[in-house]
């Protein structure tokens, strides 16, 4: 309840402050009222929830337009099982930019993403810019952790990090960063990371990122990729990816032996004309201990008439766990300008282990959205999942959005 009171109090304070400076402040956001129903996989009970999602931005608070406030959170009420009211505050912070034309300051709950790590933080972030070809960033605060009932953070959960970014080069981006997470047992994560992106010859993009765990002395994640687009209608993609599972130093799972995963991908996307687009790809997957698989994928996007689009995708996998396949078909139709309706089916063959053998999973769904006016829209999606666990698993979501 403290979280809900804080969300209401701070949101009210922002609105009050904005109203007192109505001559400059601009208030925008979205109210999303949602009703959803589904099967609770933990209890097996039917579940229905009514929720309110609110995103808010207050900009141009001061005369120079440097001070802004941003917030996003939700409150849900269980209807069937008496679980009561639940809420989450995802972010709520104040942002002051261009202090001395060199410093940006952000205070409050915010999501921070560095190449070395990311976290939802109750704290601050300071960016130093316009001091040469390198900009610097420093962040730190309480590490926010959510559980089923709300927040699971204790008073010793903290994170901090620092990053350096290359700036001033139109076709080049690069970052080198450090990230540390602490819990009640001390240092939980100690990582460095980097990312880079380079555009060449107006038709080539080279990119990559890595994350290195200092405690275990291994690269926990790495990606290198290349995109080549000889024309605006044709894109070739080649990627190599590897990951090594890393757990918090205080976790019992950190002592378990794990395998490194590697993956190579080749893909082509081609828009033939306004009516037809195709894609094809090959994926090589290496799980370690001699387990590997080859995955082939093809797809097409058809628009036989202006108001109708059909998406078809099929993938075939051979290797570890045998021969498996799956596909999806989706149809999107716009009978009138403000209304869009859609339906689809997903079909997959999978094998959890050799005892149970191959199993199938199917998803049937139908949905639609209607734009009432410039500020209001409504949508509905209903789906049924048929698999080994459920002969029929109905779920749905009805949404009303209001933009202001």
């Amino acid at each position: 309840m403290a979280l809900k009171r804080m969300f209401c109090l701070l949101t009210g304070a922002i609105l009050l402050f904005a109203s007192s400076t109505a001559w400059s402040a601009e208030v925008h956001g979205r109210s999303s009222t949602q009703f959803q129903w589904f099967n609770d996989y933990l209890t097996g009970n039917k579940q229905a929830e009514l929720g309110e999602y609110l995103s808010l931005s207050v900009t141009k608070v001061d005369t120079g337009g440097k001070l802004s406030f941003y917030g996003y959170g939700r409150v849900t009420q269980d209807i069937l099982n008496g679980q009561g009211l639940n809420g989450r505050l995802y972010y709520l912070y104040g942002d002051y930019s261009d202090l001395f034309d060199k410093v940006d300051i952000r205070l409050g709950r915010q999501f921070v993403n560095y190449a070395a790590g990311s976290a939802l933080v109750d704290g601050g972030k300071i960016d130093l810019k316009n001091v040469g070809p390198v900009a610097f960033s420093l962040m730190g605060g309480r590490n926010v952790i959510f559980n089923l009932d709300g927040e699971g953070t204790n008073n010793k959960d903290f994170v901090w990090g620092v990053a350096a970014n290359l700036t001033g080069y139109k076709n080049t981006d690069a970052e080198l960063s450090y990230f540390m997470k602490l819990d009640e047992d001390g240092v939980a994560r100690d990582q460095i990371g980097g990312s880079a992106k380079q555009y060449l010859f107006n038709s080539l993009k080279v990119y990559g990122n890595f994350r290195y765990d200092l405690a275990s002395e291994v690269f926990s994640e790495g990606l290198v990729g290349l995109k080549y687009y000889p024309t605006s209608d044709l894109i070739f993609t080649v990627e190599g990816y590897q990951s090594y599972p890393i757990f918090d130093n205080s976790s019992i799972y950190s002592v378990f032996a794990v395998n490194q995963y590697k993956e190579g991908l080749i893909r082509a996307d081609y828009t033939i004309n306004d009516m037809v687009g195709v894609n094809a790809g090959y994926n090589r997957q290496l799980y370690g201990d001699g387990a590997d698989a080859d995955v082939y994928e093809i797809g097409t996007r058809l628009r036989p008439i202006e108001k109708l689009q059909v998406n078809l995708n099929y993938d075939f996998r051979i290797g570890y766990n045998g021969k498996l396949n799956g596909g999806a078909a989706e149809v999107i139709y716009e009978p009138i300008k403000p209304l869009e309706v859609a339906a689809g089916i997903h079909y997959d063959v999978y094998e959890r282990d050799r005892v149970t053998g191959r199993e199938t999973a199917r998803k049937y769904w139908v949905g639609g959205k209607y734009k009432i006016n410039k500020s209001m829209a409504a949508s509905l999606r209903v789906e049924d999942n048929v698999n080994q666990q459920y002969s029929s698993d109905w779920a749905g979501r009805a949404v009303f959005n209001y933009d202001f």
Side-chain angles (χ1 to χ4, degrees), residues 108-112 118-124 139-144 159:
R109 176 166 296 186
Q110 57 196 285
F111 179 74
V112 181
S118 58
L120 186 62
V121 181
D122 280 342
M139 73 87 175
R142 175 176 174 265
N143 184 27
V144 180
V159 293

Side-chain angles (χ1 to χ4, degrees), residues 332-342 367-371:
I332 305 171
Y333 180 57
E334 187 179 331
I336 56 177
K337 188 62 177 177
L339 176 63
E340 180 180 284
V341 294
K369 56 184 179 181
Y370 183 77
K371 191 171 183 61

Side-chain angles (χ1 to χ4, degrees), residues 386-401:
V386 181
N387 49 47
Q388 186 67 20
Q389 185 174 3
Y390 291 101
S391 59
S392 182
D393 177 22
W394 285 96
R397 183 189 300 265
V399 180
F400 174 77
N401 291 329

Side-chain angles (χ1 to χ4, degrees), residues 60-77:
K60 300 181 180 179
V61 175
D62 61 327
T63 55
K66 297 182 177 182
L67 179 61
S68 303
F69 295 96
Y70 301 92
Y72 176 60
R74 69 166 172 86
V75 176
T76 58
Q77 172 66 54

Side-chain angles (χ1 to χ4, degrees), residues 233 270-277 301 303:
D233 299 323
Y270 182 44
T271 302
I272 300 174
N273 52 42
D274 293 340
M275 300 177 64
V276 181
R301 301 166 300 283
R303 190 178 288 273

